[in-house]
Amino acid sequence: YMNQDGDWQDDPAIAMSVSDTALADSGYAGLARPASYSGRILFDDVSVDPVASAPPTDSPPIDVPPIQPPPVTTPPTGSLPEDNSPRAGNVPPPVTTPPPVSQPSSLPAVPQHLNHIRIAQFAYYGTQIGAIEQKLLKNDVDLVIANTNLVDTINGVSPNTPQFIYTNASNIYRELLTDWLNYADANGLDREAAFYHATQATPFTGDSASSWPVRWFWNVVLGSDGNWADKTSYSHDATQPLTLGGAGQSLMLGNTEQFREINFDFSQGAGNGWTGVLEYASAVDANGNATAWKTLNTVSDGTSGFAKSGRVTFDPSADWVPNQLGDGTRLYYVRIRTVTDGDAPVSRTILGRDFVNANGRGAGTIPAFDKSADKNGDGYLNDAEYAMRHTGMDARFVYETRAFYPAYGQNRFATNVANPAFQQWAADFSYRFLQANPGAAGLFVDNSLSKIAFDPKTIVESLTNYADNYAQVLAAINTKIAPKWVLANVAGGGTAVDALAKRGISYLEEFAIRPLAASYSQFEDVAENLDRRLSLSNGKSYAILDSLATNGSMTDARVQIATLAYYYLLADPTQTMLMFNGGNAPNTPWSQHWSAAAQYDVGQPKGDWSVFAKGTDPANSTMTYKIYERQYDNALVLYKPLSYYRGKAGTTGDSTATTQILNGKYRPLLPDGQLGAPITRITLRNGEGAILVKV
């Protein structure tokens, strides 16, 4: 435990104590940093309590989600009726009690190529399985996290190497989102059951490759039945003109949910007798194909019949139903059916409602829905209802209040992991996904840090027991897909990941090993986390430790040996695997994610790691360095993290070097797998390791 002087001691100690007499009742308290700094920062085991009722010293610590710059929120004015605080729509109440804990019956079988170490690799989209990759697959690599299009290729090279394909459960988007919506409709479930919803106008920031601006239509096609041309990108890219169809053709605008407006930006309006009509699907057959279309009654038409740029608005009809156009995905479509030929309109963009006011940026505001104004309870506010809403509650539909997963952008929704319907879907989808990809041995579930950076006051649904409920989601998937299994990416999860470990769920700790950037304090944190999780798993799960070459290059000799030494200090002979710089450019050649030194047989560990030497950093007299050691059958492993004092780490420069006398003659292992000349002493800089073979 760190005390107020920044030193470590065996007994619990208060590191920081702050009193604020201005907080007489409710208010904000905690830790923060200026919004001008980007990236994630973690505060472990922090509790905030009233002075009059401080917890006893044996109370378990509270695991706090990553702190982000606090959003600027504007609460609605006036006194809101109680009806505005319950769940949006008819979302079932969340499960707030921790679910039962169960584990797999045994550790999943993973064939091992090298007796002394297990190796895992990424092979994301774009990875070339060339000569180097094939050689490593046959001789060294035990597990691959692969893109679906590479599974068959890898199986052809090494059929016994398990492969894991990418999916998500803490947030859903793209195909995951449409699958949930189709599943909910088919099973009579509330679509909103899977999501968290904002209670008030809530700013967001973030973007990702899987993000999709809310104003973009999900699918846009032009043509006629059986002959559709994809024009989705044309609808939101002003550099690609989109000409509406001729007689007998339709432009289909599809969205995941019902919508109320279409914004047309025409470079050329309709002319020379061209006319079109707006229609919606009112009936479908058993396969989801539209069997009936009705004229869409507009509230306003700013285009004057597609003659000029403008906005068309309408109230969604009660009989509007989603339909599919060939791929099985059912969307709510409005079609512009050409009635008479002429000069068809040419659009620069055709967009929906930008209800988060992002305007093309990676930031905006999730609106709140005023349930009290929704007099007919249909989850939509028409103009009359909207005029009666409370100030600051600007959502037209309930679905517009869905919370985006922090930092990943629009249409990437955080899931209500406590909801039984969502848990059931997650297991069902996972099973079907693997059925469609039979060459995969399991699922790599990203964003599994087991906590979420939401202020509970801004979310309708309860966030209580989030870690346990998320673990239950993955446990349900594990059970459903058995004997295949789940591998979770838990980067930054800290003690929240314990809930996964208790259920025997294997995990990848992305960027866990940072040999040229970790202080000795951080090294010990990584070691403690790993040891605790392995103990909780009772030998039923794997831990893959990924590395990151911060302050160095992936192909640098110092980085490679330091990475390997760091890993050997922590490694469990059965349950851990090493990944060389996997999260950093996961689709690049494996020559950037490998060191031949890993092939050298160091044997099995003969005990745990310990401190080999410690002292004052010669480059900074205020800091202390530590060198750690672990003895293997065939080698002595040493690693020297960055020196440390009171939250600050030392440098990796030559001036940090210290020399230690060895208890015999050793030959250092080199990155190419060869042994260097014999030595009896060793000089190590901060962020440097050594694997020494006794002569």
Side-chain angles (χ1 to χ4, degrees), residues 156 174 185 196 277 370 396 406 437 448 549 564 599 664 670:
R174 301 291 179 103
D185 291 348
Y196 293 124
V277 62
D370 190 346
R396 284 280 191 169
N437 295 275
S448 294
L564 197 57
Q599 294 171 321
L670 305 177

Side-chain angles (χ1 to χ4, degrees), residues 451-656:
K451 53 188 175 182
I452 193 161
F454 286 153
D455 180 348
K457 293 187 293 295
T458 67
I459 299 296
V460 173
E461 294 77 15
S462 172
L463 299 177
T464 303
N465 297 320
Y466 181 91
D468 279 312
N469 286 312
Y470 181 72
Q472 185 63 16
V473 173
L474 297 198
I477 295 173
N478 243 358
T479 300
K480 182 73 173 180
I481 67 175
K484 298 185 177 185
W485 45 287
V486 163
L487 178 63
N489 186 2
V490 302
T495 55
V497 177
D498 290 0
L500 299 180
K502 291 174 184 176
R503 289 165 175 80
I505 295 169
S506 298
Y507 70 87
L508 164 72
E509 182 83 35
E510 197 172 12
F511 307 142
I513 296 175
R514 307 185 189 199
L516 269 68
S519 68
Y520 71 72
S521 173
Q522 291 168 319
F523 167 81
E524 291 181 5
D525 284 346
V526 171
E528 194 276 334
N529 272 334
L530 176 63
D531 184 64
R532 187 183 67 256
R533 293 171 188 168
L534 291 179
S535 176
L536 290 171
S537 76
N538 292 319
K540 305 296 176 59
S541 65
Y542 293 101
I544 300 176
L545 302 183
D546 180 32
S547 65
L548 184 66
T550 304
N551 298 330
S553 165
M554 292 186 286
T555 57
D556 180 70
R558 177 176 174 181
V559 170
Q560 291 187 10
I561 293 298
T563 297
L564 197 57
Y566 191 137
Y567 173 75
Y568 280 148
L569 287 175
L570 307 180
D572 178 271
T574 303
Q575 291 182 254
T576 64
M577 302 184 195
L578 172 63
M579 176 178 282
F580 282 99
N581 308 300
N584 187 5
N587 59 353
T588 52
W590 285 3
S591 58
Q592 299 182 31
H593 305 277
W594 173 248
S595 173
Q599 294 171 321
Y600 189 89
D601 187 0
V602 297
Q604 299 300 306
K606 300 174 74 172
D608 294 331
W609 60 268
S610 60
V611 176
F612 177 77
K614 64 183 296 186
T616 301
D617 185 344
N620 188 331
S621 61
T622 67
M623 293 191 174
T624 300
Y625 75 83
K626 291 184 181 181
I627 300 175
Y628 299 96
E629 69 170 330
R630 193 179 189 187
Q631 189 73 49
Y632 276 72
D633 290 333
N634 305 323
L636 170 65
V637 176
L638 301 176
Y639 169 61
K640 182 184 181 184
L642 275 61
S643 54
Y644 177 81
Y645 180 67
R646 291 195 177 187
K648 295 183 179 181
T651 67
T652 59
D654 292 345
S655 59
T656 66

Side-chain angles (χ1 to χ4, degrees), residues 12-197:
I14 295 175
M16 181 187 303
S17 179
V18 179
S19 298
D20 189 342
T21 57
L23 294 178
D25 194 1
S26 60
Y28 292 99
L31 300 170
R33 49 95 184 271
S36 58
Y37 294 91
S38 64
R40 173 178 293 162
I41 185 168
L42 302 177
F43 295 106
D44 289 336
D45 301 340
V46 175
S47 64
V48 179
D49 301 279
V51 174
S53 57
T57 56
D58 59 349
S59 294
I62 299 173
D63 192 47
V64 178
I67 301 297
Q68 296 185 347
V72 179
T73 57
T74 305
T77 58
S79 177
L80 297 181
E82 285 190 9
D83 199 37
N84 281 290
S85 57
R87 277 165 285 283
N90 296 312
V91 180
V95 177
T96 57
T97 56
V101 176
S102 61
Q103 292 185 331
S105 59
S106 62
L107 182 70
V110 176
Q112 187 170 356
H113 287 90
L114 302 170
N115 292 328
H116 63 287
I117 191 172
R118 290 180 181 268
I119 301 291
Q121 288 279 24
F122 269 120
Y124 271 13
Y125 181 81
T127 303
Q128 299 297 314
I129 307 300
I132 292 175
E133 289 74 19
Q134 292 184 38
K135 182 178 179 181
L136 291 176
L137 281 168
K138 292 176 181 178
N139 302 313
D140 305 289
V141 174
D142 300 321
L143 182 148
V144 180
I145 300 168
N147 188 270
T148 53
N149 73 333
L150 293 175
V151 170
D152 290 343
T153 300
I154 293 172
N155 278 335
V157 176
S158 183
N160 293 323
T161 299
Q163 298 182 68
F164 290 75
I165 54 178
Y166 187 99
T167 189
N168 220 309
S170 62
N171 59 105
I172 57 176
Y173 47 89
R174 301 291 179 103
E175 293 82 2
L176 287 164
L177 175 59
T178 55
D179 193 276
W180 156 254
L181 296 175
N182 288 178
Y183 177 90
D185 291 348
N187 290 278
L189 303 172
D190 186 339
R191 286 179 160 215
E192 299 309 307
F195 308 109
Y196 293 124
H197 300 82

Side-chain angles (χ1 to χ4, degrees), residues 185 257-259 278-285 288-297 314-323 330-334 376 378 380 397:
D185 291 348
E257 302 292 342
Q258 294 184 355
F259 51 98
L278 287 163
E279 299 174 325
Y280 67 93
S282 59
V284 295
D285 61 21
N289 299 304
T291 57
W293 293 84
K294 290 184 178 179
T295 301
L296 188 67
N297 295 319
F314 50 90
D315 290 325
S317 299
D319 59 347
W320 189 8
V321 294
N323 64 287
R330 301 192 186 193
L331 301 173
Y332 285 96
Y333 282 99
V334 166
N376 60 1
D378 64 353
Y380 165 70
F397 295 87

